[in-house]
Amino acid sequence: MTEEPVEPWQARAGALPWPIRLRVFARSLLLQAAWNPERMQNLGMAFALGPALDVLYPDDERRQRAYRRHLELFNAHPYLAALVLGVALRLEREGSQGDTGQIELLRSFKLGVIGSLGAIGDAFFWASLKPFCVVISVLWAMLIGWQSAVWVFLIGFNAVHLWLRWRCFQEGYRQGVLSTVWLQGLNLPRQGRRLKDVALLATGFFAAWAPLRAWGAGGIPAGMAWIGIMGALILTSWYLLKTGVSVVRLLYGVCAGSVLVSFILE
Amino acid sequence: MIWETLGAGVLAGVLGLDRRSVVQAGIASPLVAGLLAGLWMGGPLAGLQVGLLLSLLWLHELPVGGVIPPDDTQVAVIAGALAAILVSENPDGASAWIVLSILWAIPFGLIAQRLDGLARGLNALASRRLLQSEVPLERAAFDHLTGLAVGATALSGTLVGCVGVGAGLVVLRQVVSLELNLVWRGLTWAYHLIPLVGVAGCLLLVGRPRSGWIIAMMFALSATTLLLGGRLE
């Protein structure tokens, strides 16, 4: 078996050229584009790694094998998947230089982190950061000014997720599989709980402030009962949502109920 | 109005990319989508109000795993564009027109949700074919597939957006001109009640044992402060 010629950049440690790494990171932003229910982000993974695989494996046969192994099932939270991409770049680089054990390690690493990265990412980004940014933006729009509320949301949300995406990618490439220790050190579940607490405080304020704002608007029957109605609606909605009633049905229900009461109180 | 409708459709298509395919930077969130649609139609404030309501409502609809929630981006763009037009043409009863626009737009969000599922099914077919193919795999094949998926997403979003806004303008203008004062009054009340459904969604989303207490205490504290501050009589 003939050895492949070693490119100058391959001789240096951690030396996949930065333009290639940058391209892989940029393409990772389209990881979800071809998501499918069978192998999920597999096409996105192969798409993102493409520029690196082409450079790492000039030999056709090895490149084919590399593409095919990234067509296996893969799914993680799209933001935290950057960590896996970074690790994949590093291990593929080492594998291309002859350390075939790294390829097996990459395969088991991908399978091993699918569940945990998905769970951590969903809990932090979708269930903590996003509600936090939305609730703060809503309050901002009502109390400070609507023009800047959108910027509050966009800057708050993107600053965190783009920074984390980039750092995950960098650390994944720098530390390989040990980057999970770095990620663990960020303690995203704890940060998420803090964001949730702030979101809850803001939501409680909003729940009290909303009836005051609506006071008398559109001929709403005034009186302290209004606050009671609001509280009852929150509890009823909470119960219905918990039992699986969709938010769409609830919305139409609230509108139909309001119109009905309007007719009754004529 | 044809150009405005087409523009709103293109906006829906472009923002749909952020929601499903590219970056996912929150530009497709209802808050931003509603505002942009309102801006395009000349009524940013109405668009933002649509966005705020939908943001709260959709809080606990999470795109976890393979779950595809109803497309709030399409709803925000269609409702934001329609609300901007209706409110500028009939400033009285703005709250009712905002709710009416949302009610009109939601079925289009459900259609977009179905189309998203269909597109993902086609992606699965493409993935299967690639795996079974004897042809050597090249980067160009993945670029082509990803390009197709992105294009299909943009196209479906644009079509749904155009139909939703175009048909909505025709139908809702007729509806708004009707003397249905009791209905409009009811929808105005609904406008003030809808955010509280969002509060319930937030409570459910956070789902921690003490979350109910935190909200209840903050509610009581805020209401008392505001009452003492003379905001309530």
Side-chain angles (χ1 to χ4, degrees), chain B:
Chain B
M1 202 46 78
I2 290 173
W3 290 112
E4 282 86 347
T5 304
L6 283 175
V10 170
L11 183 67
V14 171
L15 295 183
L17 290 180
D18 180 64
R19 177 188 161 81
R20 279 174 274 180
S21 306
V22 188
V23 187
Q24 297 182 302
I27 302 166
S29 70
L31 189 68
V32 186
L35 174 69
L36 289 176
L39 264 175
W40 172 252
M41 290 298 197
L45 193 54
L48 184 79
Q49 284 171 287
V50 165
L52 288 173
L53 288 179
L54 290 174
S55 294
L56 285 168
L57 270 179
W58 250 258
L59 260 185
H60 90 294
E61 295 278 352
L62 304 180
V64 176
V67 174
I68 309 172
D71 193 330
D72 53 348
T73 307
Q74 293 290 333
V75 177
V77 170
I78 295 169
L82 291 173
I85 297 285
L86 294 178
V87 170
S88 68
E89 289 175 353
N90 313 276
D92 291 336
S95 306
W97 314 146
I98 286 169
V99 174
L100 190 65
S101 303
I102 291 175
L103 294 179
W104 170 266
I106 279 179
F108 293 95
L110 297 174
I111 292 170
Q113 179 189 23
R114 291 287 172 91
L115 289 175
D116 195 6
L118 188 68
R120 291 177 184 209
L122 291 175
N123 288 339
L125 189 68
S127 168
R128 223 177 299 147
R129 282 196 177 168
L130 261 185
L131 282 163
Q132 292 163 354
S133 144
E134 298 294 322
V135 183
L137 294 177
E138 292 296 339
R139 179 150 56 101
F142 296 104
D143 291 359
H144 181 65
L145 261 178
T146 305
L148 277 179
V150 167
T153 302
L155 187 66
S156 71
T158 304
L159 283 175
V160 173
C162 281
V163 174
V165 174
L169 277 175
V170 175
V171 175
L172 294 190
R173 274 177 168 157
Q174 298 297 319
V175 173
V176 165
S177 65
L178 299 173
E179 293 287 329
L180 302 170
N181 293 332
L182 288 177
V183 175
W184 306 148
R185 186 174 73 164
L187 290 184
T188 304
W189 294 353
Y191 172 84
H192 296 292
L193 293 171
I194 289 169
L196 298 178
V197 178
V199 169
C202 186
L203 195 62
L204 190 69
L205 174 69
V206 173
R208 297 173 61 195
R210 61 195 175 106
S211 58
W213 289 109
I214 294 178
I215 283 202
M217 283 174 64
M218 194 60 197
F219 179 90
L221 186 69
S222 307
T224 310
T225 310
L226 292 165
L227 271 165
L228 292 175
R231 293 292 302 271
L232 276 176
E233 292 174 3

Side-chain angles (χ1 to χ4, degrees), chain A residues 10-124:
Chain A
Q10 285 180 311
R12 288 185 280 126
L16 195 58
W18 68 264
I20 300 284
R21 297 201 315 253
L22 203 60
R23 282 182 73 188
V24 171
F25 178 74
R27 288 162 79 97
S28 78
L29 301 178
L30 280 88
L31 188 73
Q32 293 272 94
W35 195 97
N36 62 84
E38 288 178 8
R39 296 191 177 211
M40 302 183 178
Q41 292 167 338
N42 66 336
L43 292 173
M45 193 75 176
F47 169 78
L49 288 172
L53 296 182
D54 285 357
V55 170
L56 290 171
Y57 299 105
D59 172 59
D60 278 351
E61 196 187 323
R62 292 184 72 197
R63 190 169 65 247
Q64 289 301 308
R65 283 208 302 272
Y67 272 121
R68 287 201 183 272
R69 66 175 164 261
H70 288 294
L71 281 179
E72 289 173 2
L73 174 104
F74 176 71
N75 197 41
H77 190 279
Y79 299 164
L80 293 185
L83 184 96
V84 181
L85 278 161
V87 173
L89 275 193
R90 183 189 174 102
L91 297 186
E92 286 289 358
R93 178 176 65 82
E94 290 169 357
S96 71
Q97 290 167 342
D99 191 351
T100 50
Q102 300 299 68
I103 300 300
E104 275 310 306
L105 178 63
L106 173 58
R107 182 170 284 153
S108 48
F109 176 77
K110 279 171 73 179
L111 286 174
V113 296
I114 281 178
S116 49
L117 285 187
I120 293 171
D122 288 340
F124 179 74

